[in-house]
Amino acid sequence: MSAAPRPSLAVVGATGAVGTVVRELLSTRQDVWGEIRLVASARSAGRLLPVRGTEAEVVALDEAAFDGIDVALFDVPDEVAARWAPIAAAKGVVVVDNSGAFRMDDEVPLVVPEVNAHAVRMRPRGIVANPNCTTLSMIVAVGALHAEFGLTELIVSSYQAASGAGQAGIAALRDQMTKVAGTEAGTQAGDLRRTVGDFGPFAAPLALNVVPWAGSLAGDDGWSSEEMKVRNESRKILGLPRLRATATCVRVPVITTHSLSVHARFENEVTVARAHEILRNAPGVVVSDDPGQGEFPTPADAVGTDPTWVGRVRRSLDDPCALELFVCGDNLRKGAALNAVQIAEVVAADIAV
């Protein structure tokens, strides 16, 4: 008896920053796919791109691009996903969407396989959403601790890389670094702005600076869209709709890998030893925590790797039910491409049954 055919996968947005990482992951992870079809805008159609040890021709995004496809992994702007994901789903394709178009839709599960893989099966619209890169950089570690201690409050400060703003963010930071190299910029008020000139997608110069703003204005109370994503997505992923959660999101002059300082309060008393044990045994987490020996996560160490890196784990000085920790996660890998690929693999396993 011959084996069942393996499911087919479409990568929509295959030429972008995250799409490139998706193709790399598909070439290095266990191969569970039959055909892998690369899809992008019409201007990219016909290009040959490497995937799984060969070169595949990019096809234009249209209805025919989903013919014969079982799973489609979308990494496109919100408005493109909002239009095309339902079209693909109507053709029987399971869509894994990395945009923000469907994350808070009650009929679309928001999934992190290490935390709530079961939710993949509850997809009445045929769409599964991938969380925002900032949430993903911490939620695997926080989810493991929640399962043991019962999370009641989350206070987060993020230190977000330029690549979170896409290729334009990377290009802007590199350009600014070139402009300030060899100058005295950053020693007087206003000189950095004059030297840099074009801020790119950022609200202020990023080179030699930190910018306490990421995303767009969300409402009239001064919160940014990135800050609201951390709050709302954490609640949905963990199944805690009333979780007290707040975030301050900051851009820092790092190319790739987000970092977060996390204050997490729990129902039960915590200890560092038990937290270390939980985190070391949690899938997708690496503990690096010996500050006396200079061991703690930094973006420079975590970039290009898949896990969430955790260090500086401390019990709060004034609250035996709270932990402080510092986490780093590559925002293009686990923060985007890897989590989406993992979701798609969970779907593929169900199809193969």
Side-chain angles (χ1 to χ4, degrees):
M1 184 175 179
S2 60
R6 293 186 294 178
S8 54
L9 175 71
V11 180
V12 184
T15 60
V18 174
T20 299
V21 179
V22 167
R23 288 187 285 109
E24 293 172 0
L25 289 167
L26 292 173
S27 301
T28 56
R29 293 175 65 82
Q30 181 179 356
D31 189 4
V32 301
W33 302 105
E35 178 190 0
I36 295 179
R37 188 176 302 170
L38 305 183
V39 184
S41 63
R43 66 178 178 273
S44 295
R47 288 180 60 185
L48 294 176
L49 295 176
V51 63
R52 208 169 44 173
T54 187
E55 288 194 326
E57 183 175 340
V58 176
V59 302
L61 176 57
D62 57 24
E63 288 195 38
F66 301 106
D67 290 345
I69 292 297
D70 295 303
V71 182
L73 199 162
F74 275 62
D75 185 68
V76 293
D78 290 9
E79 63 274 13
V80 178
R83 177 187 175 191
W84 285 100
I87 291 172
K91 294 172 75 75
V93 178
V94 178
V95 173
V96 179
D97 180 44
N98 192 42
S99 82
F102 302 100
R103 287 175 184 149
M104 301 315 298
D105 188 317
D106 290 340
E107 294 187 313
V108 175
L110 186 65
V111 174
V112 181
E114 296 91 339
V115 180
N116 64 338
H118 63 277
V120 165
R121 297 183 177 92
M122 298 175 283
R123 48 175 194 267
R125 296 192 62 182
I127 301 169
V128 181
N130 201 42
N132 180 51
C133 54
T134 313
T135 307
L136 275 168
S137 295
M138 67 156 187
I139 201 67
V140 176
V142 170
L145 294 169
H146 164 60
E148 175 75 10
F149 299 122
L151 186 67
T152 62
E153 184 176 23
L154 194 60
I155 302 173
V156 174
S157 293
S158 72
Y159 309 91
Q160 295 179 218
S163 56
Q167 293 286 10
I170 296 172
L173 177 55
R174 292 200 182 280
D175 177 65
Q176 292 178 24
M177 290 167 64
T178 299
K179 288 177 178 177
V180 301
T183 73
E184 296 297 317
T187 59
Q188 296 183 15
D191 64 352
L192 191 59
R193 291 177 179 268
R194 290 190 296 271
T195 301
V196 166
D198 182 5
F199 303 160
F202 308 115
L206 191 57
L208 306 181
N209 203 19
V210 296
V211 181
W213 185 257
S216 57
L217 188 65
D220 299 325
D221 295 329
W223 295 97
S224 78
S225 58
E226 286 284 307
E227 291 159 350
M228 297 307 296
K229 288 174 186 176
V230 171
R231 172 184 172 85
N232 295 334
E233 292 176 15
S234 297
R235 287 175 157 189
K236 186 172 181 179
I237 294 163
L238 298 173
L240 298 172
R242 298 189 178 185
L243 176 69
R244 295 192 300 272
T246 187
T248 298
C249 292
V250 181
R251 290 281 184 203
V252 295
V254 168
I255 297 295
T256 298
T257 296
H258 291 347
S259 305
L260 298 96
S261 173
V262 178
H263 169 88
R265 192 175 193 282
F266 302 93
E267 296 173 2
N268 303 305
E269 188 169 335
V270 298
T271 67
V272 170
R274 181 61 180 141
H276 274 166
E277 182 181 5
I278 292 164
L279 293 168
R280 288 195 179 101
N281 290 323
V285 176
V286 170
V287 176
S288 176
D289 194 10
D290 188 354
Q293 298 299 316
E295 292 184 14
F296 35 71
T298 76
D301 302 312
V303 66
T305 69
D306 291 340
T308 297
W309 292 73
V310 184
R312 300 299 321 281
V313 181
R314 293 146 287 152
R315 189 163 82 163
S316 296
L317 294 174
D318 300 311
D319 187 348
C321 292
L323 286 172
E324 318 295 334
L325 53 148
F326 190 79
V327 301
C328 292
D330 186 314
N331 54 294
L332 298 182
R333 293 184 74 88
K334 183 57 179 175
L338 175 61
N339 198 76
V341 168
Q342 289 175 303
I343 294 172
E345 290 171 349
V346 172
V347 175
D350 279 351
I351 292 173
V353 172

